[in-house]
Amino acid sequence: MTGKSQAVQGTRWLPLGEPTLTRPRLFCFPHAGASAAAYGGWQRVAGDQIAVCPVQPPGRAERYRVPAYHDVDAFVDDLVTDLGHQFTGHYALFGHSMGALVAYELARRLQANGAPAPVHLFVSGRTAPHLAETRTRLRDLPVDRLVHELRRMGGTPDMLLRDRELLEAFLPLLRADFSVNETYRYQPHLPLAIPLTAFGGQSDPRAEEWEMREWATHTSARFQCRMYPGGHFFTEEHTADVLGVMRSELLCTAPLS
C-alpha cells in the first residue's frame, strides 16, 4: 500500500485529520454506540502539546454506510492495515468500555507483530480481558430490557430511549458493538511490555474496582489504577483529570526536541 492510499484510509478513521508523526499522539476509541464525537472536546482540554486523535469506527457518522464490526479481531485487522503508518513514533492508546478492549487488542497485536509499541495503554470502564463475563449480555436483549439496562448505565440520551423509531434505527449498531465485547474470548499470551493505566468509576455497574485492578496482569511494566466517583460514564464528569493523567504520562516519556 502506498503512503498516499494509507493516508486516505487513515483519514476515514481519523475525522479530525491525520496528525504529524513528530507530535505526541493519543488515539481514543469510543464506547459501544458512540462515535469519535465522544472525544470532540478533548483537544481543547488537553492543550496543544499533544494531539488528541478520536478514532471513528465504521457504522456511524460519516461512515454510517460501512457495516459495523461484530468481533474485535476484524476491528483490529483493519486498524493495523489502514492506520498502521500512524502507530509509530511517540503515541499512546486510550479506550472506554468496548474501546478499552479494542485498544488493548490493538496494543497486543502491534507487540506480536514487532511493530512500534505505544508508550502507554490507557483503559477505562471495562473489566480486565481475562475475566469471565458474568453480567447480563446486552446484544440479544429484547428492546424493553435493553432500554432498562441502558438507563441503568447512563450515557445514552433519554430522548433516544423514548423515541422507539429512532431507537430501532440505532439498535443494529449498538448490538454490533455489544457483540464486539461479548463474543470476545481471551487467549493467554505474554503481557504487554508497556505501562498500563486503568480508570474506573466507583459505582460502575459494569466494572467494579477489583475487576479494573486485574488489568495489572496484562503488563510487565508499571501499572496504576485510578478510581473516580461516578458510574459507567464517569469520564464525562472527570474529563479534565483523566486527560491530565494521560497528558502527563505521554509528555513525561516524550523525547526532547
Side-chain angles (χ1 to χ4, degrees):
M1 181 180 291
T2 66
K4 183 177 180 180
S5 60
Q6 282 183 323
V8 171
Q9 292 282 7
T11 305
R12 295 176 186 173
W13 289 93
L14 300 172
L16 299 185
E18 292 219 357
T20 173
L21 299 181
T22 59
R23 191 179 181 192
R25 287 151 290 138
L26 177 66
F27 294 94
C28 300
F29 297 87
H31 59 274
S35 70
Y39 305 114
W42 279 31
Q43 185 66 70
R44 176 182 55 80
V45 178
D48 59 7
Q49 288 184 290
I50 68 170
V52 176
C53 307
V55 175
Q56 188 75 287
R60 59 213 86 198
E62 67 278 2
R63 302 188 72 192
Y64 76 96
R65 292 184 183 276
V66 184
Y69 297 105
H70 287 75
D71 68 90
V72 73
D73 289 335
F75 202 148
V76 171
D77 286 346
D78 287 349
L79 282 168
V80 171
T81 298
D82 296 343
L83 273 184
H85 61 289
Q86 274 286 340
F87 301 136
T88 188
H90 200 80
Y91 74 99
L93 306 177
F94 167 80
H96 180 72
S97 197
M98 176 195 75
L101 177 64
V102 174
Y104 164 72
E105 279 295 318
L106 175 58
R108 187 195 65 78
R109 179 77 64 84
L110 293 169
Q111 176 171 285
N113 291 351
V119 297
H120 208 113
L121 173 63
F122 302 98
V123 295
S124 170
R126 192 194 188 279
T127 61
H130 66 283
L131 298 178
E133 180 55 76
T134 59
R135 294 173 176 83
T136 301
R137 294 189 180 274
L138 303 175
R139 68 183 186 275
D140 294 325
L141 284 181
V143 175
D144 289 343
R145 284 198 62 197
L146 181 56
V147 167
H148 172 77
E149 291 294 331
L150 292 174
R151 282 204 170 102
R152 182 166 168 255
M153 283 193 295
T156 305
D158 194 59
M159 179 183 69
L160 173 61
L161 298 179
R162 287 188 283 105
D163 187 328
R164 184 53 66 98
E165 184 176 348
L166 190 59
L167 181 61
E168 290 288 352
F170 177 61
L171 282 179
L173 169 63
L174 194 59
R175 293 190 190 280
D177 284 359
F178 286 148
S179 293
V180 170
N181 245 336
E182 296 173 356
T183 62
Y184 176 73
R185 296 293 180 269
Y186 174 72
Q187 299 295 325
H189 51 78
L190 291 175
L192 297 169
I194 58 173
L196 194 160
T197 297
F199 301 105
Q202 294 169 354
S203 304
D204 188 346
R206 306 296 297 185
E208 297 181 21
E209 180 173 352
W210 74 270
E211 294 171 305
M212 296 305 301
R213 293 192 178 279
E214 283 291 309
W215 278 97
T217 66
H218 295 282
T219 178
S220 60
R222 179 168 52 89
F223 173 78
Q224 59 178 326
C225 179
R226 292 174 174 261
M227 302 298 296
Y228 295 84
H232 189 62
F233 293 99
F234 68 93
T235 52
E236 294 178 358
E237 299 175 9
H238 302 284
T239 299
D241 193 83
V242 170
L243 258 178
V245 171
M246 294 193 289
R247 178 179 177 276
S248 294
E249 292 286 355
L250 195 51
L251 289 178
C252 78
T253 54
L256 296 176
S257 56

